[in-house]
Amino acid sequence: MNASPFRLRASVLPRLGAAAVFACLSLLGGCVAFERAPVAELRCDPDLAGAWTVKAGGNAHKTVHVDARCRSTDWPGMGDKPTTLDLTGFAIGRDRYIALTPEQAQRAIGADTGSLTASAPKGSVFLVLYRFNAQGGLDAWLPDPQRALDAIVRGQLAGRKLDDRFALVQGDPEQLRDTLAQHPDLLYDTDRKAMVFERAKAARQDSP
């Protein structure tokens, strides 16, 4: 496994804003769950501390704040009501990932209780890929369920279809790490910029 640049902390990474994730899910038409986390320990990425404006096409903009412990206390949850999120993640090579349990993902996108936990197996996680860009912001992508399902049918990816909306990627942690390291394109379409995080300016700390 490639060494992670993250600090060894039991805290977490910031999440994608409710409007941003809903926009992404509507584009993809479903979700991709991973049978388990690809690493034994999830870590905090210190580069995520600060204020971020989240963009996902149209006017879906939100500003969230992440403290030095990778905690956001103003993440827009159900009905855009602020919720506190502690997120963890990991890195494989230059790629960094946010790892969400089904329950965490529900709160992150403001979804109804049970909307994800009813379908995703116990111990599974949802992984969001992100990369920092030259402008000091970051670009993030959710897995494309159709890509995942097609790769499963071709035998390139171990997994199965959970229901009409979900693909489940299976394997032990080492196998999942190898897939993310060697074949991320089986899951993520990084040619399409799904979500953009920009550093929020001081005058724009509070969303209108």
Side-chain angles (χ1 to χ4, degrees):
M1 172 185 172
N2 293 323
S4 168
F6 294 359
R7 294 176 187 172
L8 288 168
R9 289 195 208 154
S11 30
V12 279
L13 310 172
R15 301 184 183 196
L16 311 176
V21 177
F22 274 129
C24 219
L25 292 180
S26 65
L27 287 173
L28 297 183
C31 296
V32 176
F34 292 75
E35 188 175 22
R36 56 179 53 83
V39 296
E41 182 177 9
L42 300 177
R43 303 175 179 183
C44 173
D45 181 355
D47 292 335
L48 289 168
W52 296 91
T53 298
V54 188
K55 299 183 178 182
N59 294 317
H61 296 180
K62 295 288 179 180
T63 298
V64 297
H65 301 79
V66 182
D67 67 19
R69 297 179 300 142
C70 295
R71 170 173 291 186
S72 173
T73 59
D74 59 359
W75 203 267
M78 178 66 72
D80 277 354
K81 182 179 179 180
T83 185
T84 297
L85 294 175
D86 288 324
L87 313 171
T88 50
F90 59 94
I92 296 178
R94 75 185 185 104
D95 291 335
R96 310 187 196 196
Y97 294 87
I98 295 167
L100 309 175
T101 66
E103 187 277 332
Q104 289 171 332
Q106 283 180 176
R107 289 196 293 123
I109 65 176
D112 292 330
T113 300
S115 59
L116 295 181
T117 56
S119 298
K122 182 178 180 180
S124 63
V125 295
F126 295 86
L127 300 181
V128 183
L129 165 65
Y130 69 98
R131 296 169 180 168
F132 283 90
N133 57 45
Q135 291 71 44
L138 64 86
D139 304 322
W141 299 266
L142 290 171
D144 184 329
Q146 193 56 56
R147 277 185 175 236
L149 290 171
D150 289 347
I152 290 170
V153 170
R154 295 193 302 267
Q156 296 174 300
L157 196 62
R160 60 186 174 89
K161 188 174 184 179
L162 286 178
D163 59 30
D164 289 340
R165 298 175 302 146
F166 285 93
L168 177 68
V169 180
Q170 296 175 297
D172 60 33
E174 183 176 3
Q175 291 170 328
L176 294 176
R177 289 196 304 272
D178 287 345
T179 295
L180 294 173
Q182 300 172 23
H183 305 289
D185 57 303
L186 296 179
L187 294 158
Y188 299 90
D189 182 3
T190 55
D191 290 330
R192 180 185 58 204
K193 188 175 296 183
M195 289 159 282
V196 178
F197 287 70
E198 294 179 353
R199 291 286 184 186
K201 297 178 180 179
R204 299 171 56 195
Q205 291 288 312
D206 297 319
S207 298

